[in-house]
Protein backbone atom coordinates (compact mmCIF):
# COMPACT_ATOMS: atom_id res chain seq x y z
CA UNK A 1 0.00 0.00 0.00
CA UNK A 2 1.48 3.27 -1.13
CA UNK A 3 0.36 6.85 -0.50
CA UNK A 4 -0.22 8.40 -3.92
CA UNK A 5 -2.19 11.55 -3.10
CA UNK A 6 -2.82 13.70 -0.05
CA UNK A 7 -6.15 15.50 -0.42
CA UNK A 8 -7.95 18.02 1.73
CA UNK A 9 -10.47 15.56 3.12
CA UNK A 10 -8.97 12.22 2.05
CA UNK A 11 -5.64 10.49 1.47
CA UNK A 12 -5.36 8.04 -1.41
CA UNK A 13 -3.29 4.84 -1.34
CA UNK A 14 -2.66 2.45 -4.22
CA UNK A 15 -3.18 -1.23 -3.46
CA UNK A 16 -1.24 -4.14 -4.91
CA UNK A 17 -4.30 -5.53 -6.70
CA UNK A 18 -4.68 -2.30 -8.71
CA UNK A 19 -7.51 -0.86 -6.61
CA UNK A 20 -7.26 2.21 -4.37
CA UNK A 21 -7.84 2.81 -0.70
CA UNK A 22 -9.33 6.13 0.38
CA UNK A 23 -8.61 7.17 3.96
CA UNK A 24 -11.26 9.66 5.12
CA UNK A 25 -9.98 12.51 7.30
CA UNK A 26 -11.76 14.74 9.79
CA UNK A 27 -11.02 17.86 7.72
CA UNK A 28 -14.05 19.62 6.29
CA UNK A 29 -14.24 22.21 3.53
CA UNK A 30 -15.02 25.75 4.56
CA UNK A 31 -13.36 29.04 5.44
CA UNK A 32 -12.29 30.74 8.65
CA UNK A 33 -13.06 27.58 10.61
CA UNK A 34 -16.69 27.50 9.43
CA UNK A 35 -17.95 24.49 7.47
CA UNK A 36 -19.32 25.21 3.97
CA UNK A 37 -19.99 22.39 1.49
CA UNK A 38 -19.69 24.92 -1.36
CA UNK A 39 -16.10 25.90 -0.52
CA UNK A 40 -12.96 24.25 -1.84
CA UNK A 41 -10.59 25.25 0.96
CA UNK A 42 -10.01 23.32 4.17
CA UNK A 43 -12.20 24.67 6.96
CA UNK A 44 -12.69 23.19 10.41
CA UNK A 45 -11.53 19.80 11.60
CA UNK A 46 -14.48 18.07 13.23
CA UNK A 47 -13.85 14.91 15.25
CA UNK A 48 -15.69 12.02 13.67
CA UNK A 49 -16.36 13.84 10.39
CA UNK A 50 -14.34 11.34 8.37
CA UNK A 51 -16.14 8.32 9.80
CA UNK A 52 -19.55 9.98 9.47
CA UNK A 53 -18.79 10.78 5.81
CA UNK A 54 -17.68 7.22 5.13
CA UNK A 55 -20.75 5.70 6.78
CA UNK A 56 -23.07 7.83 4.66
CA UNK A 57 -21.04 7.18 1.52
CA UNK A 58 -21.24 3.41 2.07
CA UNK A 59 -24.99 3.63 2.68
CA UNK A 60 -25.71 5.62 -0.49
CA UNK A 61 -23.18 3.84 -2.73
CA UNK A 62 -24.88 0.53 -1.90
CA UNK A 63 -28.33 1.95 -2.70
CA UNK A 64 -27.05 3.38 -5.99
CA UNK A 65 -25.35 0.12 -6.95
CA UNK A 66 -28.59 -1.76 -6.22
CA UNK A 67 -30.41 0.64 -8.53
CA UNK A 68 -27.94 -0.02 -11.32
CA UNK A 69 -25.90 3.18 -11.05
CA UNK A 70 -22.26 2.36 -11.82
CA UNK A 71 -19.85 3.55 -9.10
CA UNK A 72 -16.23 2.97 -8.12
CA UNK A 73 -17.26 1.59 -4.69
CA UNK A 74 -16.01 -1.85 -3.63
CA UNK A 75 -16.20 -1.88 0.18
CA UNK A 76 -15.93 0.26 3.31
CA UNK A 77 -14.03 -0.39 6.53
CA UNK A 78 -15.78 1.83 9.06
CA UNK A 79 -13.40 1.01 11.91
CA UNK A 80 -10.31 2.07 9.95
CA UNK A 81 -12.22 4.84 8.15
CA UNK A 82 -11.21 3.59 4.70
CA UNK A 83 -13.01 2.78 1.48
CA UNK A 84 -11.70 0.48 -1.24
CA UNK A 85 -12.53 1.59 -4.77
CA UNK A 86 -11.86 0.62 -8.37
CA UNK A 87 -9.37 2.72 -10.31
CA UNK A 88 -11.11 5.32 -12.48
CA UNK A 89 -9.81 8.00 -14.81
CA UNK A 90 -11.04 11.51 -13.97
CA UNK A 91 -12.20 14.05 -16.54
CA UNK A 92 -9.20 16.36 -16.86
CA UNK A 93 -7.76 16.93 -13.38
CA UNK A 94 -11.23 16.45 -11.89
CA UNK A 95 -14.66 17.74 -12.78
CA UNK A 96 -17.37 18.51 -10.25
CA UNK A 97 -20.96 18.12 -11.32
CA UNK A 98 -23.52 19.97 -9.25
CA UNK A 99 -27.23 19.24 -9.26
CA UNK A 100 -29.52 21.86 -7.75
CA UNK A 101 -33.09 21.51 -6.50
CA UNK A 102 -33.11 24.89 -4.71
CA UNK A 103 -31.45 28.23 -5.52
CA UNK A 104 -28.93 28.50 -2.67
CA UNK A 105 -25.14 28.82 -2.34
CA UNK A 106 -23.18 30.09 -5.33
CA UNK A 107 -26.19 29.76 -7.65
CA UNK A 108 -28.11 32.32 -5.63
CA UNK A 109 -25.02 34.47 -5.18
CA UNK A 110 -24.57 34.59 -8.96
CA UNK A 111 -28.19 34.94 -10.06
CA UNK A 112 -29.87 36.73 -7.16
CA UNK A 113 -31.03 39.40 -9.60
CA UNK A 114 -33.24 36.88 -11.33
CA UNK A 115 -34.40 34.41 -8.71
CA UNK A 116 -35.48 34.41 -5.07
CA UNK A 117 -33.37 32.62 -2.49
CA UNK A 118 -34.20 28.91 -2.12
CA UNK A 119 -36.56 28.97 -5.13
CA UNK A 120 -37.22 25.46 -6.47
CA UNK A 121 -35.03 24.41 -9.41
CA UNK A 122 -35.75 21.44 -11.73
CA UNK A 123 -32.58 19.39 -11.06
CA UNK A 124 -30.38 22.04 -12.67
CA UNK A 125 -26.92 20.71 -13.57
CA UNK A 126 -23.68 22.67 -13.87
CA UNK A 127 -20.02 21.74 -13.96
CA UNK A 128 -16.84 23.19 -12.47
CA UNK A 129 -13.22 22.15 -12.68
CA UNK A 130 -11.48 21.05 -9.50
CA UNK A 131 -8.74 23.66 -9.46
CA UNK A 132 -8.00 25.29 -6.11
CA UNK A 133 -5.65 27.89 -7.54
CA UNK A 134 -8.37 29.06 -9.93
CA UNK A 135 -11.20 28.76 -7.39
CA UNK A 136 -12.96 25.87 -9.14
CA UNK A 137 -13.88 27.72 -12.34
CA UNK A 138 -17.25 26.98 -13.93
CA UNK A 139 -17.02 25.29 -17.31
CA UNK A 140 -19.72 24.90 -19.94
CA UNK A 141 -20.56 21.99 -22.23
CA UNK A 142 -19.03 23.95 -25.14
CA UNK A 143 -15.84 24.72 -23.21
CA UNK A 144 -15.46 21.07 -22.14
CA UNK A 145 -15.59 20.12 -25.82
CA UNK A 146 -13.08 22.77 -26.91
CA UNK A 147 -10.68 21.85 -24.11
CA UNK A 148 -10.79 18.22 -25.22
CA UNK A 149 -12.23 17.00 -21.90
CA UNK A 150 -15.62 15.70 -22.99
CA UNK A 151 -17.72 15.43 -26.15
CA UNK A 152 -21.15 17.16 -26.24
CA UNK A 153 -22.76 13.70 -26.39
CA UNK A 154 -20.88 12.57 -23.27
CA UNK A 155 -21.89 15.81 -21.52
CA UNK A 156 -25.57 15.14 -22.21
CA UNK A 157 -25.21 11.55 -20.91
CA UNK A 158 -23.44 12.81 -17.80
CA UNK A 159 -26.19 15.37 -17.22
CA UNK A 160 -28.91 12.71 -17.45
CA UNK A 161 -26.93 10.37 -15.15
CA UNK A 162 -26.41 13.20 -12.65
CA UNK A 163 -30.12 14.00 -12.60
CA UNK A 164 -30.93 10.32 -12.12
CA UNK A 165 -28.52 9.91 -9.19
CA UNK A 166 -29.57 13.20 -7.59
CA UNK A 167 -33.19 12.13 -7.98
CA UNK A 168 -32.47 8.86 -6.16
CA UNK A 169 -30.67 10.75 -3.40
CA UNK A 170 -33.52 13.24 -3.06
CA UNK A 171 -36.04 10.39 -2.79
CA UNK A 172 -33.97 8.46 -0.24
CA UNK A 173 -33.50 11.54 1.92
CA UNK A 174 -37.20 12.43 1.65
CA UNK A 175 -37.97 9.06 3.31
CA UNK A 176 -36.17 10.44 6.37
CA UNK A 177 -38.06 13.73 6.16
CA UNK A 178 -34.95 15.48 4.81
CA UNK A 179 -34.99 17.77 1.77
CA UNK A 180 -32.02 17.79 -0.59
CA UNK A 181 -31.26 21.35 -1.80
CA UNK A 182 -28.16 20.62 -3.86
CA UNK A 183 -25.46 17.98 -4.25
CA UNK A 184 -22.03 17.80 -5.80
CA UNK A 185 -20.74 14.67 -7.54
CA UNK A 186 -17.54 13.62 -9.19
CA UNK A 187 -17.42 11.19 -12.07
CA UNK A 188 -14.68 9.18 -13.70
CA UNK A 189 -14.33 6.57 -16.38
CA UNK A 190 -13.64 2.87 -15.95
CA UNK A 191 -12.91 1.73 -19.47
CA UNK A 192 -15.63 3.39 -21.54
CA UNK A 193 -18.14 3.55 -18.73
CA UNK A 194 -18.84 6.77 -16.81
CA UNK A 195 -19.05 5.94 -13.10
CA UNK A 196 -19.72 7.91 -9.94
CA UNK A 197 -16.53 8.33 -7.87
CA UNK A 198 -15.43 10.05 -4.63
CA UNK A 199 -17.77 10.20 -1.65
CA UNK A 200 -21.44 10.97 -1.01
CA UNK A 201 -21.69 12.69 2.34
CA UNK A 202 -22.79 15.80 4.16
CA UNK A 203 -19.64 17.46 2.85
CA UNK A 204 -21.01 17.27 -0.69
CA UNK A 205 -24.59 18.35 -0.26
CA UNK A 206 -26.95 20.77 1.41
CA UNK A 207 -29.73 18.91 3.17
CA UNK A 208 -32.47 20.45 5.32
CA UNK A 209 -35.05 19.18 7.77
CA UNK A 210 -38.01 21.42 8.57
CA UNK A 211 -36.20 24.35 6.98
CA UNK A 212 -33.08 23.80 9.07
CA UNK A 213 -29.72 23.02 7.50
CA UNK A 214 -28.17 19.77 8.71
CA UNK A 215 -24.43 19.75 9.44
CA UNK A 216 -22.57 16.67 8.10
CA UNK A 217 -22.51 14.73 11.39
CA UNK A 218 -26.20 15.46 11.99
CA UNK A 219 -27.05 14.32 8.50
CA UNK A 220 -25.30 10.98 9.01
CA UNK A 221 -27.00 10.37 12.34
CA UNK A 222 -30.43 11.39 11.05
CA UNK A 223 -30.15 9.14 8.00
CA UNK A 224 -28.53 6.12 9.70
CA UNK A 225 -29.32 6.19 13.40
CA UNK A 226 -32.88 7.44 13.76
CA UNK B 1 -34.47 64.56 -24.74
CA UNK B 2 -34.25 63.04 -21.26
CA UNK B 3 -31.38 61.34 -19.47
CA UNK B 4 -32.60 57.86 -18.58
CA UNK B 5 -29.39 56.05 -17.65
CA UNK B 6 -25.86 56.97 -16.67
CA UNK B 7 -23.49 54.18 -17.61
CA UNK B 8 -19.78 53.68 -17.11
CA UNK B 9 -18.82 54.47 -20.68
CA UNK B 10 -22.08 55.96 -22.04
CA UNK B 11 -25.07 58.05 -21.01
CA UNK B 12 -28.46 57.17 -22.47
CA UNK B 13 -31.15 59.71 -23.39
CA UNK B 14 -34.69 59.00 -24.56
CA UNK B 15 -35.83 60.91 -27.65
CA UNK B 16 -39.34 62.13 -28.36
CA UNK B 17 -39.71 59.85 -31.39
CA UNK B 18 -39.21 56.78 -29.20
CA UNK B 19 -35.57 56.19 -30.18
CA UNK B 20 -32.58 56.59 -27.87
CA UNK B 21 -29.45 58.71 -28.01
CA UNK B 22 -26.21 57.24 -26.65
CA UNK B 23 -23.58 59.78 -25.57
CA UNK B 24 -20.15 58.14 -25.62
CA UNK B 25 -17.82 59.14 -22.77
CA UNK B 26 -14.04 59.04 -22.49
CA UNK B 27 -14.19 56.54 -19.61
CA UNK B 28 -12.71 53.14 -20.33
CA UNK B 29 -13.13 49.87 -18.44
CA UNK B 30 -10.17 48.64 -16.46
CA UNK B 31 -8.70 48.69 -12.97
CA UNK B 32 -6.16 50.83 -11.15
CA UNK B 33 -6.06 53.25 -14.06
CA UNK B 34 -5.07 50.55 -16.56
CA UNK B 35 -7.34 49.80 -19.52
CA UNK B 36 -8.68 46.23 -19.77
CA UNK B 37 -11.52 45.31 -22.15
CA UNK B 38 -12.31 42.28 -19.99
CA UNK B 39 -13.04 44.33 -16.85
CA UNK B 40 -16.39 45.72 -15.83
CA UNK B 41 -15.16 48.54 -13.62
CA UNK B 42 -14.27 52.04 -14.77
CA UNK B 43 -10.55 52.35 -15.43
CA UNK B 44 -8.72 55.25 -17.00
CA UNK B 45 -10.28 58.25 -18.73
CA UNK B 46 -8.57 58.66 -22.09
CA UNK B 47 -9.18 61.87 -24.04
CA UNK B 48 -10.83 61.04 -27.33
CA UNK B 49 -11.75 57.48 -26.32
CA UNK B 50 -15.49 58.19 -26.67
CA UNK B 51 -15.18 59.62 -30.18
CA UNK B 52 -12.79 56.85 -31.28
CA UNK B 53 -15.24 54.24 -29.99
CA UNK B 54 -18.13 55.89 -31.79
CA UNK B 55 -16.24 56.15 -35.09
CA UNK B 56 -15.39 52.47 -35.03
CA UNK B 57 -18.92 51.53 -33.96
CA UNK B 58 -20.43 53.48 -36.87
CA UNK B 59 -17.98 51.87 -39.29
CA UNK B 60 -18.72 48.31 -38.19
CA UNK B 61 -22.48 48.79 -37.66
CA UNK B 62 -22.78 49.96 -41.28
CA UNK B 63 -20.82 46.95 -42.56
CA UNK B 64 -22.96 44.59 -40.48
CA UNK B 65 -26.20 46.21 -41.65
CA UNK B 66 -25.04 45.88 -45.27
CA UNK B 67 -24.41 42.18 -44.66
CA UNK B 68 -27.92 41.73 -43.33
CA UNK B 69 -27.11 41.57 -39.60
CA UNK B 70 -29.92 43.27 -37.67
CA UNK B 71 -28.67 45.98 -35.27
CA UNK B 72 -30.16 48.85 -33.27
CA UNK B 73 -28.00 51.41 -35.13
CA UNK B 74 -29.71 54.37 -36.85
CA UNK B 75 -27.04 57.07 -37.17
CA UNK B 76 -23.93 58.53 -35.58
CA UNK B 77 -23.05 62.18 -34.90
CA UNK B 78 -19.26 62.11 -34.61
CA UNK B 79 -18.97 65.81 -33.71
CA UNK B 80 -21.31 65.53 -30.75
CA UNK B 81 -20.12 61.99 -29.94
CA UNK B 82 -23.63 60.55 -29.98
CA UNK B 83 -25.33 57.62 -31.65
CA UNK B 84 -29.07 57.33 -32.31
CA UNK B 85 -30.47 53.83 -31.90
CA UNK B 86 -33.78 51.98 -32.00
CA UNK B 87 -35.28 50.93 -28.68
CA UNK B 88 -34.52 47.30 -27.89
CA UNK B 89 -35.37 45.10 -24.94
CA UNK B 90 -32.34 43.54 -23.24
CA UNK B 91 -32.17 39.93 -22.05
CA UNK B 92 -32.72 40.27 -18.33
CA UNK B 93 -30.77 43.30 -17.09
CA UNK B 94 -28.23 42.79 -19.86
CA UNK B 95 -26.41 39.77 -21.22
CA UNK B 96 -22.91 39.87 -22.64
CA UNK B 97 -22.01 37.38 -25.32
CA UNK B 98 -18.31 36.73 -25.81
CA UNK B 99 -16.81 35.10 -28.88
CA UNK B 100 -13.25 33.86 -28.60
CA UNK B 101 -10.73 33.05 -31.35
CA UNK B 102 -7.75 32.85 -28.99
CA UNK B 103 -7.40 31.67 -25.39
CA UNK B 104 -6.60 34.93 -23.62
CA UNK B 105 -8.14 37.02 -20.82
CA UNK B 106 -10.51 35.32 -18.40
CA UNK B 107 -10.73 32.19 -20.56
CA UNK B 108 -7.04 31.53 -20.12
CA UNK B 109 -7.19 32.52 -16.45
CA UNK B 110 -9.93 29.93 -15.88
CA UNK B 111 -8.65 27.09 -18.04
CA UNK B 112 -4.89 27.55 -18.02
CA UNK B 113 -4.55 23.98 -16.73
CA UNK B 114 -5.92 22.67 -20.01
CA UNK B 115 -4.83 25.06 -22.73
CA UNK B 116 -1.80 27.14 -23.64
CA UNK B 117 -2.06 30.94 -23.63
CA UNK B 118 -3.32 32.41 -26.93
CA UNK B 119 -4.14 28.95 -28.36
CA UNK B 120 -6.54 29.17 -31.31
CA UNK B 121 -10.22 28.64 -30.43
CA UNK B 122 -12.98 27.88 -32.97
CA UNK B 123 -15.24 30.93 -32.34
CA UNK B 124 -16.06 29.73 -28.83
CA UNK B 125 -19.15 31.47 -27.40
CA UNK B 126 -19.97 32.09 -23.73
CA UNK B 127 -22.40 34.34 -21.91
CA UNK B 128 -22.24 36.46 -18.75
CA UNK B 129 -24.79 38.65 -17.01
CA UNK B 130 -24.07 42.35 -16.80
CA UNK B 131 -24.08 42.67 -13.03
CA UNK B 132 -21.32 44.77 -11.49
CA UNK B 133 -22.15 43.82 -7.92
CA UNK B 134 -21.78 40.14 -8.81
CA UNK B 135 -18.77 40.66 -11.09
CA UNK B 136 -20.58 39.74 -14.32
CA UNK B 137 -21.30 36.11 -13.42
CA UNK B 138 -21.05 33.51 -16.20
CA UNK B 139 -24.35 31.90 -17.10
CA UNK B 140 -24.97 28.74 -19.11
CA UNK B 141 -27.63 27.92 -21.70
CA UNK B 142 -29.38 25.73 -19.10
CA UNK B 143 -29.29 28.48 -16.45
CA UNK B 144 -30.67 31.06 -18.90
CA UNK B 145 -33.60 28.73 -19.51
CA UNK B 146 -34.24 28.07 -15.82
CA UNK B 147 -34.06 31.78 -14.97
CA UNK B 148 -36.64 32.52 -17.65
CA UNK B 149 -34.27 34.71 -19.68
CA UNK B 150 -33.96 32.71 -22.89
CA UNK B 151 -35.18 29.43 -24.37
CA UNK B 152 -32.58 26.81 -25.44
CA UNK B 153 -33.66 27.41 -29.07
CA UNK B 154 -33.09 31.17 -28.75
CA UNK B 155 -29.69 30.48 -27.17
CA UNK B 156 -28.64 28.35 -30.13
CA UNK B 157 -29.80 31.08 -32.57
CA UNK B 158 -27.92 33.70 -30.58
CA UNK B 159 -24.79 31.55 -30.62
CA UNK B 160 -24.94 31.14 -34.40
CA UNK B 161 -25.61 34.88 -34.87
CA UNK B 162 -22.70 35.73 -32.56
CA UNK B 163 -20.35 33.48 -34.51
CA UNK B 164 -21.54 35.03 -37.77
CA UNK B 165 -20.97 38.60 -36.57
CA UNK B 166 -17.63 37.78 -34.96
CA UNK B 167 -16.60 36.07 -38.21
CA UNK B 168 -17.43 39.22 -40.19
CA UNK B 169 -15.49 41.34 -37.70
CA UNK B 170 -12.51 38.99 -37.86
CA UNK B 171 -12.54 39.13 -41.66
CA UNK B 172 -12.85 42.93 -41.78
CA UNK B 173 -10.00 43.37 -39.32
CA UNK B 174 -7.82 40.85 -41.20
CA UNK B 175 -8.07 43.15 -44.24
CA UNK B 176 -6.18 45.71 -42.14
CA UNK B 177 -3.64 43.12 -41.03
CA UNK B 178 -5.22 42.98 -37.58
CA UNK B 179 -6.09 39.76 -35.78
CA UNK B 180 -9.19 39.56 -33.63
CA UNK B 181 -8.54 37.51 -30.46
CA UNK B 182 -11.93 37.96 -28.78
CA UNK B 183 -14.94 40.24 -28.84
CA UNK B 184 -17.87 40.98 -26.55
CA UNK B 185 -21.33 41.77 -27.86
CA UNK B 186 -24.65 42.70 -26.37
CA UNK B 187 -27.94 41.72 -27.92
CA UNK B 188 -31.52 42.86 -27.45
CA UNK B 189 -34.89 42.21 -28.97
CA UNK B 190 -36.88 44.55 -31.22
CA UNK B 191 -40.24 42.84 -31.40
CA UNK B 192 -39.41 39.18 -31.96
CA UNK B 193 -36.11 39.85 -33.67
CA UNK B 194 -32.77 39.48 -31.88
CA UNK B 195 -30.56 42.45 -32.80
CA UNK B 196 -27.03 43.53 -31.98
CA UNK B 197 -27.03 46.52 -29.60
CA UNK B 198 -24.49 48.68 -27.73
CA UNK B 199 -21.17 49.58 -29.35
CA UNK B 200 -18.45 47.78 -31.34
CA UNK B 201 -15.14 49.34 -30.42
CA UNK B 202 -11.72 48.74 -29.00
CA UNK B 203 -13.35 48.70 -25.58
CA UNK B 204 -15.16 45.48 -26.46
CA UNK B 205 -12.47 43.45 -28.16
CA UNK B 206 -8.86 42.35 -28.08
CA UNK B 207 -7.21 43.00 -31.43
CA UNK B 208 -3.53 42.45 -32.27
CA UNK B 209 -1.21 43.45 -35.10
CA UNK B 210 2.01 41.50 -35.52
CA UNK B 211 1.54 40.00 -32.07
CA UNK B 212 1.10 43.39 -30.42
CA UNK B 213 -2.11 44.35 -28.63
CA UNK B 214 -3.78 47.48 -30.00
CA UNK B 215 -5.19 49.97 -27.50
CA UNK B 216 -8.68 51.32 -28.40
CA UNK B 217 -7.47 54.60 -29.94
CA UNK B 218 -4.79 52.81 -31.94
CA UNK B 219 -7.33 50.32 -33.19
CA UNK B 220 -9.64 53.07 -34.45
CA UNK B 221 -6.82 54.89 -36.23
CA UNK B 222 -5.40 51.71 -37.77
CA UNK B 223 -8.81 50.62 -39.05
CA UNK B 224 -10.06 54.02 -40.25
CA UNK B 225 -7.09 56.30 -40.91
CA UNK B 226 -4.37 54.15 -42.44
Amino acid sequence: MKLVYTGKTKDVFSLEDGNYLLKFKDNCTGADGVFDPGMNTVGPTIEGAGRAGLRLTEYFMKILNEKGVPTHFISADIENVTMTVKPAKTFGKGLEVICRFRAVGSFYRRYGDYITEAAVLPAFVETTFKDDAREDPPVTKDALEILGIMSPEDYESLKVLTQKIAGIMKEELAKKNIELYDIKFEFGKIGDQVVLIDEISGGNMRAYRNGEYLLPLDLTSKVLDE
Side-chain angles (χ1 to χ4, degrees), chain A:
Chain A
M1 182 163 112
K2 196 182 139 197
L3 179 68
V4 291
Y5 179 75
T6 301
K8 283 171 288 190
T9 61
K10 280 188 282 304
D11 289 334
V12 181
F13 299 86
S14 62
L15 299 174
E16 281 179 12
D17 61 4
N19 292 324
Y20 286 89
L21 189 86
L22 308 182
K23 172 83 181 172
F24 284 56
K25 301 196 271 198
D26 285 343
N27 297 341
C28 299
T29 56
D32 303 323
V34 179
F35 170 73
D36 183 341
M39 300 288 290
N40 64 354
T41 44
V42 172
T45 297
I46 300 170
E47 207 189 314
R51 181 167 284 124
L54 177 61
R55 286 179 68 210
L56 210 55
T57 299
E58 178 189 32
Y59 177 79
F60 285 123
M61 285 287 183
K62 284 180 173 173
I63 289 174
L64 291 173
N65 284 346
E66 274 165 23
K67 291 186 186 277
V69 173
T71 78
H72 71 158
F73 179 79
I74 297 175
S75 62
D77 177 341
I78 303 297
E79 197 183 328
N80 292 307
V81 202
T82 61
M83 178 164 81
T84 305
V85 300
K86 296 174 211 162
K89 203 179 166 312
T90 59
F91 291 100
K93 295 177 185 178
L95 184 72
E96 288 187 332
V97 186
I98 300 130
C99 188
R100 301 181 180 278
F101 296 103
R102 292 264 196 179
V104 293
S106 68
F107 188 90
Y108 178 68
R109 281 197 298 276
R110 274 177 272 148
Y111 308 131
D113 249 5
Y114 299 100
I115 200 159
T116 52
E117 190 162 13
V120 172
L121 298 174
F124 170 73
V125 172
E126 59 187 352
T127 42
T128 62
F129 277 127
K130 287 184 78 164
D131 188 339
D132 289 349
R134 296 181 175 86
E135 294 181 334
D136 289 357
V139 59
T140 64
K141 176 182 169 183
D142 288 351
L144 286 166
E145 182 187 11
I146 274 179
L147 297 170
I149 309 288
M150 196 184 290
S151 71
E153 296 71 33
D154 280 355
Y155 184 91
E156 286 304 321
S157 307
L158 188 76
K159 183 172 142 182
V160 169
L161 182 60
T162 298
Q163 289 172 326
K164 181 186 170 180
I165 299 172
I168 293 170
M169 295 289 308
K170 194 174 192 305
E171 217 176 272
E172 289 298 320
L173 289 166
K175 291 177 188 170
K176 313 276 181 177
N177 189 28
I178 293 168
E179 187 184 344
L180 181 63
Y181 275 30
D182 56 27
I183 185 159
K184 187 166 67 179
F185 298 114
E186 200 179 333
F187 292 91
K189 269 190 159 178
I190 297 181
D192 278 342
Q193 191 178 36
V194 175
V195 304
L196 182 67
I197 63 172
D198 203 38
E199 63 180 279
I200 307 174
S201 73
N204 299 78
M205 68 181 92
R206 289 191 183 87
Y208 284 67
R209 180 180 276 180
N210 303 325
E212 206 172 313
Y213 170 69
L214 300 176
L215 283 164
L217 268 71
D218 288 341
L219 181 67
T220 294
S221 67
K222 283 184 169 43
V223 173
L224 301 183
D225 306 327
E226 270 185 6

